[in-house]
Amino acid sequence: MKGETGSTGTGVMQRDTTRENQPDYCRTLVSVLKRFIGRSGLGEAIRDSLKDICRASGASNALLYLAPDDGRASADRYEWRREKVCLQTRLTLLPQEVFAAWMESLEKAGPIHIEDLKQAPAGTRGHHEALETTNMRSLLVMPLEAEAGPEGLLALATTSEPAAWREEDVARLQALAGTLAEAVECKRGDEILKSVDKVRALVLDSVSELVTLMDLDLKILWGNRAAAESLGLEPQQLIGRHCYELWHGRDEACVVCPVMAALNLGRPESGDVITPDGRMWHINGYPVRNPAGEIVGVAEVTSDITEFKRTTVELRKSEEKFRNLVEHSLQGVVVVQDYRIVFANPAMAELAGYSIKELISMRPSEVRALVHPDDQDMVWSRFRDRIAGKRVDSRYRCRIVRKDGSARWVEMFATRTDFLGKPGVQATIVDVTSQKRLEEKLREDDGSGPAELIS
């Protein structure tokens, strides 16, 4: 036994413990691997492993620091300490700049080994100044080098007495840190996948669409809650059964099936089908491939479009009835949006002297000019107020200017409407020119003079 002097510390008498400690390191390595293979979570596996490492190395406390990366906004710190370690000696309470300095030093110069912090000179690498207020005596900081690259660091410390860490001990602990890094990387990957699976299941269970994952024989491997509820079943009752059996009551695949087409063609396919109960579905099939690009299954996303189809058919019938009624009406019907005519029936075209195509092709200035100049302020101000939702008289008289330049008196009944998803004004228009002339003649015969224009 003889004293050794570290590059950053003072001489410490050590006895040769190589043979004594070697079995401990081997058992610790096996123990660490068992921690991560078991069913415990990442944090529990790390803390138990740090406990094993402290027992094997004689450290008072240990810290595993996972540096932040693209997947984490902040660093993760895990610590184990013996009961006698006071709060001031906890590695996890060191400021963030210490860990940043350690990471930089590890990258440039390798492990940090300070044999005795009490006698180490000021300015020692490892931010000795930040450790002066602690009760630490020895410090060993090693990089966590996983296959994917640097993960962070493993720090060991003793409190009352300096540690007896020889070069052989440091080498074994560094190898142990590498194994720990690989184990953490694998465990964290598993937990991330489990978290993603949980989120995926939660999201898919919250949507109204029916979602199932099937193998190449269309046997269900997983189904969301909507898929099960469409059959009055629980999700686990779908597993192992064929889709065509459950929804179509068949013992073989459907003849026309978007899901089968997706499998056969190797690309997304979609289509509409009707099940025996009369419900209508829009089905999307998506091939599922493994990392080698081989198709190993298929995902089906289905929407119940029964009510939508029925509503669409009823709406189409209503539109046809309305159009037939309007098309054959003797009254002019017009819909104006943004000072453009978006609909006009034959009676309106005849009244204005234009074809329907000409009316719909008019520019806003031409549409405004259809109203007599003396009546434009009244007509178009009411148009704007009606679009804005203000209360406006719906029935009034005005003059329009026909294509040949002649003016006709019309009586208009206007209301606000939505046409193709946009607000507009629908007006029913009747030619009252003859009635207007008769009213004027009666007033003249009565001796009251020319009739006032009625607007």
Side-chain angles (χ1 to χ4, degrees):
M1 278 65 70
K2 61 180 179 178
E4 292 188 357
T5 304
S7 60
T8 58
T10 60
V12 179
M13 294 300 296
Q14 298 179 347
R15 60 190 179 89
D16 190 353
T17 58
T18 304
R19 293 183 179 274
E20 295 179 22
N21 287 344
Q22 189 170 358
D24 289 338
Y25 286 119
C26 292
R27 285 195 293 269
T28 301
L29 178 62
V30 174
S31 176
V32 167
L33 292 176
K34 285 183 178 179
R35 303 285 190 191
F36 285 86
I37 295 174
R39 304 178 67 177
S40 58
L42 176 64
E44 182 182 354
I46 291 177
R47 279 183 282 271
D48 287 343
S49 297
L50 295 178
K51 178 180 179 181
D52 294 338
I53 293 172
C54 282
R55 286 176 173 174
S57 65
S60 301
N61 60 331
L63 170 81
L64 185 139
Y65 173 84
L66 295 177
D69 54 22
D70 292 339
R72 299 191 309 280
S74 59
D76 294 331
R77 304 180 190 181
Y78 301 89
E79 184 187 33
W80 185 86
R81 60 190 175 96
R82 298 181 187 275
E83 293 182 0
K84 66 179 181 180
V85 175
C86 62
L87 181 64
Q88 290 81 4
T89 315
R90 294 190 62 182
L91 289 166
T92 190
L93 299 180
L94 290 172
Q96 176 65 29
E97 54 266 24
V98 173
F99 298 105
W102 283 354
M103 290 291 294
E104 183 178 357
S105 179
L106 290 173
E107 185 177 355
K108 293 180 178 178
I112 301 169
H113 184 197
I114 305 178
E115 295 181 359
D116 193 343
L117 286 163
K118 300 297 183 183
Q119 300 185 36
T124 301
R125 65 176 183 170
H127 271 232
H128 166 61
E129 297 86 347
L131 306 178
E132 286 181 346
T133 58
T134 71
N135 293 326
M136 295 181 197
R137 291 298 300 273
S138 296
L139 177 68
L140 176 60
V141 184
M142 299 162 288
L144 289 175
E145 290 282 355
E147 184 177 353
E151 290 282 325
L153 58 86
L154 173 64
L156 303 177
T158 62
T159 52
S160 58
E161 297 293 333
W165 292 325
R166 298 169 57 89
E167 290 184 8
E168 294 88 346
D169 297 314
V170 173
R172 292 190 184 100
L173 287 170
Q174 191 171 353
L176 191 56
T179 301
L180 181 59
E182 295 288 352
V184 169
E185 183 180 54
C186 293
K187 187 75 171 180
R188 189 167 59 183
D190 290 341
E191 293 206 344
I192 290 173
L193 288 176
K194 290 178 183 178
S195 299
V196 171
D197 287 340
K198 288 180 181 178
V199 172
R200 183 186 296 117
L202 179 63
V203 171
L204 293 179
D205 269 339
S206 66
V207 300
S208 60
E209 289 82 1
L210 283 58
V211 183
T212 55
L213 178 64
M214 294 173 279
D215 62 17
L216 297 177
D217 295 324
L218 300 185
K219 188 177 292 184
I220 296 173
L221 304 174
W222 182 87
N224 72 342
R225 183 157 297 279
E229 289 178 349
S230 72
L231 298 166
L233 302 174
E234 290 296 322
Q236 60 268 24
Q237 293 178 287
L238 302 177
I239 299 174
R241 304 179 68 177
H242 295 93
C243 61
Y244 50 79
E245 166 200 351
L246 291 171
W247 280 280
H248 296 272
R250 298 170 58 94
D251 55 8
E252 59 182 2
C254 303
V255 178
V256 179
C257 176
V259 177
M260 281 298 297
L263 276 175
N264 294 333
L265 299 175
R267 67 184 184 219
E269 293 290 330
S270 62
D272 296 342
V273 300
I274 301 177
T275 49
D277 58 6
R279 287 185 291 178
M280 290 175 277
W281 309 87
H282 181 71
I283 298 177
N284 294 278
Y286 303 95
V288 176
R289 301 177 185 272
N290 63 14
E294 303 167 330
I295 297 177
V296 294
V298 63
E300 178 179 342
V301 181
T302 303
S303 303
D304 187 343
I305 58 172
T306 306
E307 290 302 319
F308 172 76
K309 285 288 188 181
R310 288 174 180 168
T311 302
T312 301
V313 171
E314 291 174 1
L315 181 60
R316 187 179 297 114
K317 290 180 179 178
S318 298
E319 289 177 347
E320 290 176 355
K321 290 180 180 179
F322 174 76
R323 184 171 292 275
N324 289 335
L325 180 63
V326 172
E327 292 289 345
H328 296 90
S329 173
L330 298 178
Q331 299 175 333
V333 179
V334 64
V335 177
V336 180
Q337 287 177 334
D338 299 325
Y339 298 99
R340 285 186 175 275
I341 296 174
V342 294
F343 174 83
N345 70 344
M348 182 64 208
E350 182 179 354
L351 177 61
Y354 294 92
S355 67
I356 294 178
K357 182 178 181 180
E358 287 175 325
L359 289 174
I360 294 177
S361 300
M362 285 183 172
R363 296 188 296 271
S365 58
E366 294 173 320
V367 173
R368 285 192 288 264
L370 286 174
V371 179
H372 193 279
D374 293 341
D375 300 333
Q376 285 187 13
D377 288 344
M378 179 268 296
V379 171
W380 295 115
S381 64
R382 293 188 179 188
F383 173 84
R384 290 188 293 271
D385 289 345
R386 188 167 283 110
I387 291 294
K390 298 180 181 179
R391 292 190 62 179
V392 185
D393 290 339
S394 59
R395 186 172 181 176
Y396 54 93
R397 289 183 177 183
C398 66
R399 287 163 290 183
I400 65 170
V401 180
R402 290 170 49 84
K403 184 177 181 179
D404 60 10
S406 61
R408 305 288 292 183
W409 277 97
V410 297
E411 186 165 23
M412 184 180 303
F413 182 84
T415 58
R416 190 182 187 278
T417 188
D418 284 334
F419 188 82
L420 299 178
K422 293 180 60 178
V425 172
Q426 176 181 317
T428 302
I429 300 174
V430 179
D431 188 345
V432 294
T433 304
S434 299
Q435 180 181 344
K436 181 67 175 176
R437 289 173 179 169
L438 178 59
E439 290 175 355
E440 291 179 352
K441 187 174 186 309
L442 290 175
R443 290 176 67 86
E444 290 176 357
D445 292 344
D446 189 44
S448 56
E452 295 181 359
L453 297 182
I454 300 176
S455 58

